[in-house]
Amino acid sequence: MNSAAPEHTIPEVRTLAERVFHQLQDAIVRGELAPGSKITEPGLSKSYGISRGPLREAMRRLEAHRLIERVPHVGARVVKLSMEELLELFDVREALESMAARLAAEHMMPEEIAGLREVLAVHERQSDLQSGEAYYQREGDLDFHYRIVQGSHNRMLVTLLCDDLYYLVRLYRTQFSASGTRPQRAFVEHHRIVDAIEAGDAELAELLMRRHVSASRANVADRYAAILEQQAEATD
C-alpha cells in the first residue's frame, strides 16, 4: 500500500464496537491487515486495547461486509479473492455502476451534482493524486462512486453497491489504485462522467462509466498478475 494516502478520520460513532469496526475496516482496506492474513481475538484485543465483547461484535460486522471470512480449522482471516473472483466483482461493478450513472444523469438534482464537483475538488488537493502515486478515496460521501450510486435514486442499486458490496469493492479499488498514470487518468474520467451527468446525457454517462470501470478492471488484473508473478519468483 502507498504510505502517502491521506490521513483517514474515523467517522463519529456511538459505541466502542462501532469504533473498532471502523478502525479494522480501514486497516483492511488500506492493506495494513493483508488479504488472507489470519486474525485472532486475542491479537486484536491486545492491539486495540478492548475487551472481547465489543471486538466480537465488530468482527461480526466485518464478516457481514465480506471483509473477513471464517475458515474451518483455521479461524478468521482477511478476505482474499482469487483472480477469477476479483474480475467477476469488477464485471458486476461495470454493469451496475454504468446503470447508476445513466440513472444519475436522469435524476440527480443540481445540488447533488454540485456535491460531486466538491468531492472532486477535495480529491484534486490530495498529495497522493498530485504526485501521481495513487487515488485514494475516503468512504461514503467523499467517495465519487458512492455519490453517483446514491444519485441514481434507485434503492435496489443503493442496497447492492452501497451496502452489500461496498466495502469489498472499496478494498480492491484502494489496494490496486496506484499504477503508472492510472490515478490521474481516473481523475480525468471522473470529471467527464460528471459533465455527462450534468448535461443530462444518460447514454454518454453510462458509456463513460462503463469504460472507466473497465479500465480499472484491466489495471487491477495487470497488477494482480504482477504480484502473483513476484510471489512465484520469491518461492523459486
Side-chain angles (χ1 to χ4, degrees):
M1 273 302 296
N2 169 40
S3 59
E7 181 180 353
H8 182 75
T9 302
I10 300 298
E12 184 178 352
V13 295
R14 292 177 292 181
T15 68
L16 179 58
E18 192 174 0
R19 175 169 290 278
V20 174
F21 163 75
H22 283 292
Q23 289 175 323
L24 292 175
Q25 176 259 125
D26 197 51
I28 292 171
V29 167
R30 285 175 174 271
E32 294 164 9
L33 292 174
S37 61
K38 184 178 179 181
I39 54 177
T40 65
E41 289 183 9
L44 293 177
S45 180
K46 182 178 181 181
S47 297
Y48 290 89
I50 62 169
S51 61
R52 298 287 185 87
L55 178 58
R56 286 183 185 133
E57 183 179 338
M59 289 182 68
R60 281 195 293 269
R61 288 187 63 186
L62 290 169
E63 190 172 6
H65 284 298
R66 306 170 194 254
L67 291 180
I68 66 172
E69 56 188 358
R70 307 279 179 176
V71 181
H73 312 300
V74 174
R77 69 177 184 183
V78 177
V79 69
K80 182 178 182 179
L81 298 184
S82 66
M83 173 75 86
E84 182 180 4
E85 291 170 327
L86 181 56
L87 296 184
E88 285 177 352
L89 178 63
F90 271 82
D91 288 341
V92 170
R93 275 194 65 202
E94 183 179 331
L96 296 184
E97 290 195 34
S98 60
M99 183 191 306
R102 166 180 282 276
L103 293 173
E106 296 172 351
H107 300 297
M108 279 190 92
M109 304 297 291
E111 58 269 24
E112 292 177 292
I113 296 172
L116 267 180
R117 297 283 189 197
E118 291 171 6
V119 166
L120 292 180
V122 170
H123 293 174
E124 189 171 20
R125 294 192 293 270
Q126 294 177 187
S127 60
D128 59 343
L129 180 61
Q130 290 178 357
S131 64
E133 295 175 353
Y135 186 179
Y136 180 88
Q137 298 180 56
R138 298 179 187 175
E139 66 181 279
D141 285 345
L142 284 174
D143 184 326
F144 177 81
H145 291 265
Y146 181 96
R147 293 285 285 261
I148 286 184
V149 175
Q150 293 283 339
S152 74
H153 295 201
N154 182 296
R155 287 178 294 178
M156 187 65 71
L157 276 178
V158 171
T159 298
L160 289 170
L161 291 173
C162 295
D163 293 326
D164 293 351
L165 296 175
Y166 180 68
Y167 290 101
L168 188 59
V169 166
R170 187 166 176 266
L171 165 64
Y172 285 94
R173 264 179 36 208
T174 300
Q175 294 195 11
F176 290 96
S177 65
S179 179
T181 61
R182 182 61 198 156
Q184 285 289 346
R185 292 208 319 272
F187 182 71
V188 171
E189 290 164 10
H190 282 179
H191 271 288
R192 290 173 178 166
I193 291 167
V194 178
D195 290 342
I197 290 173
E198 188 170 36
D201 192 332
E203 184 174 348
L204 181 59
E206 180 179 23
L207 175 63
L208 291 175
M209 181 62 83
R210 185 176 296 279
R211 288 177 176 173
H212 173 67
V213 177
S214 179
S216 296
R217 181 188 189 276
N219 178 68
V220 167
D222 289 344
R223 294 206 67 221
Y224 196 105
I227 290 171
L228 292 179
E229 184 177 347
Q230 290 172 359
Q231 292 174 344
E233 291 175 353
T235 58
D236 287 344

